[in-house]
Amino acid sequence: MMEIRPLLMCFALCVVYATSKPTEKKERIHHDAPLSSREHDDAQGFDYDHDAFLGQKEAKSFDDLSPEESKRRLGVIVEKIDGDSDGFVTEVELKAWIKKAQKKYVYENVDRQWKDFDVNNDGMISWEEYRNVTYGTYLDDPEPDDGYNYQHMMARDERRFKMADQNGDQIANKEEFTAFLHPEEYDHMKDIVVLETMEDIDKNGDGFIDLNEYIGDMYNHEDEMEEPDWVATEREQFSEFRDKNKDGKMDREETLDWILPSDYDHAEAEAKHLVYESDLNKDGKLSKEEILNKYDLFVGSQATDFGEALVRHDEF
């Protein structure tokens, strides 16, 4: 439980470390993790599809299974994807499943931290539990000698916790706690991500981010050092792309477009691809039978892995 306090100090040290290296660029833009490190080319095999559907680690485990066992496990997965239990998998359900596989590292991170905060082991984490574990005796000292304002940090955490706590009971279930720890992954948390970013960067408190504040957040200028090339590039980015209305500063909407860009939705594209390739009767949804009929598109097995090995051998 006490491991959380060193984490706080580690975070503080990371901030100091980042600002102590003036040529190192701080990255605030959030992009979705790639579905796979492989190229999407079905003519060469379905490795990309397997990674997208299962996550890369899980996809690899299927390669050692017999085709029969792969199909059996895929059948179990299909029932999990079918959220309304109507016997069909829709494009929307498939997209949600792929998104979950894509964010698996997020859920694993939450699982690792869960036991530290769920002090009473009731399967939920209250704000009080989180506050006591995270801040504990730091709150007893109104003027800590490390220079950090823990009262301010706690107030900011509480505001984010309340935003993640959708039913307002001051107790977070697993999904709500995930939204609290990783707000950039949830649409309903976008406002808090933007607010916290603007609070960090807006040094003069006018509610906007001007060019100097934008650059100052990324680059700690030291007179004796020459400004790196990427800083000049970022000045151009600010003027040409970030400041859309050309008033010399970024407002809330412009900041949102900067840190949470509307990227191409790879999960949606993959869901459409899987439905198109597997939907034999072209009714726009997949039955369990249709998915199992094209099982090698969704998951690997000894047979598909062996076949792909032959393809790779033939290439040489």
Side-chain angles (χ1 to χ4, degrees):
M1 190 169 83
M2 294 300 104
E3 290 179 0
I4 304 305
R5 293 179 189 172
L7 281 176
L8 263 179
M9 298 311 300
C10 179
F11 169 76
L13 288 171
C14 286
V15 173
V16 173
Y17 178 73
T19 56
S20 69
K21 297 187 71 175
T23 59
E24 187 175 281
K25 181 179 178 182
K26 184 189 294 182
E27 185 60 75
R28 284 193 178 271
I29 303 174
H30 301 283
H31 292 288
D32 283 340
L35 298 183
S36 174
S37 59
R38 306 169 191 266
E39 184 180 354
H40 194 182
D41 182 2
D42 285 358
Q44 296 297 317
F46 301 130
D47 285 340
Y48 178 97
D49 301 298
H50 299 166
D51 288 350
F53 182 68
L54 295 169
Q56 295 185 47
K57 186 189 297 185
E58 186 70 15
K60 189 173 179 62
S61 71
F62 270 71
D63 292 341
D64 296 325
L65 303 177
S66 68
E68 293 75 21
E69 180 61 15
S70 280
K71 284 186 180 181
R72 187 193 70 77
R73 294 193 186 187
L74 176 58
V76 173
I77 292 173
V78 170
E79 292 173 4
K80 293 179 180 179
I81 301 173
D82 180 15
D84 57 8
S85 301
D86 67 348
F88 295 95
V89 170
T90 65
E91 187 181 297
V92 172
E93 289 171 329
L94 199 49
K95 175 185 171 181
W97 174 265
I98 293 169
K99 283 278 191 185
K100 189 171 183 178
Q102 185 183 25
K103 308 297 184 189
K104 195 167 185 179
Y105 72 96
V106 170
Y107 295 108
E108 289 175 348
N109 173 260
V110 173
D111 286 339
R112 282 194 298 270
Q113 297 194 52
W114 185 265
K115 63 181 182 300
D116 293 322
F117 294 105
D118 183 15
V119 179
N120 62 5
N121 296 313
D122 67 347
M124 309 285 276
I125 294 174
S126 67
W127 164 247
E128 185 178 359
E129 284 177 311
Y130 178 82
R131 180 194 62 197
N132 291 341
V133 171
T134 304
Y135 296 100
T137 56
Y138 288 116
L139 301 179
D140 297 333
D141 184 359
E143 296 181 1
D145 57 10
D146 58 18
Y148 293 98
N149 186 335
Y150 292 104
Q151 289 287 352
H152 173 74
M153 293 166 67
M154 185 182 71
R156 187 158 141 151
D157 274 355
E158 184 174 16
R159 182 180 63 189
R160 188 197 285 193
F161 193 96
K162 288 179 177 178
M163 182 73 76
D165 175 28
Q166 291 192 286
N167 64 3
D169 63 357
Q170 287 286 284
I171 299 173
N173 59 27
K174 184 66 72 70
E175 194 68 15
E176 289 170 332
F177 194 63
T178 303
F180 170 69
L181 292 181
H182 297 274
E184 71 281 355
E185 305 292 349
Y186 291 82
D187 286 342
H188 72 279
M189 298 293 288
K190 284 184 177 179
D191 285 343
I192 203 73
V193 176
V194 173
L195 178 59
E196 290 178 359
T197 301
M198 296 191 76
E199 287 176 347
D200 288 342
I201 304 175
D202 176 24
K203 301 304 182 185
N204 63 13
D206 66 351
F208 298 93
I209 298 173
D210 62 33
L211 176 59
N212 289 334
E213 291 168 333
Y214 175 80
I215 295 298
D217 179 61
M218 302 179 184
Y219 173 62
N220 181 26
H221 180 70
E222 291 183 359
D223 292 336
E224 68 272 14
M225 297 193 66
E226 184 177 348
E227 187 174 276
D229 292 341
W230 66 259
V231 176
T233 302
E234 283 297 339
R235 293 184 194 279
E236 294 176 6
Q237 288 283 319
F238 183 92
S239 300
E240 295 180 19
F241 302 106
R242 311 291 188 221
D243 178 21
K244 298 185 188 306
N245 61 8
K246 308 304 177 187
D247 64 353
K249 54 194 176 184
M250 287 195 297
D251 57 24
R252 183 202 165 281
E253 289 301 320
E254 290 167 328
T255 302
L256 173 64
D257 289 342
W258 167 42
I259 62 174
L260 295 169
S262 299
D263 292 334
Y264 174 73
D265 196 329
H266 293 277
E268 181 176 341
E270 178 65 10
K272 289 180 182 294
H273 168 66
L274 293 175
V275 170
Y276 176 81
E277 294 293 337
S278 309
D279 185 16
L280 295 177
N281 62 7
K282 303 303 176 186
D283 63 353
K285 54 189 177 182
L286 301 179
S287 66
K288 186 174 182 179
E289 182 181 2
E290 286 175 320
I291 292 175
L292 294 182
N293 187 56
K294 292 280 290 186
Y295 87 97
D296 58 334
L297 174 64
F298 291 85
V299 298
S301 70
Q302 290 172 340
T304 56
D305 195 46
F306 178 68
E308 287 162 11
L310 288 179
V311 170
R312 291 191 292 269
H313 182 269
D314 288 343
E315 290 172 354
F316 294 102

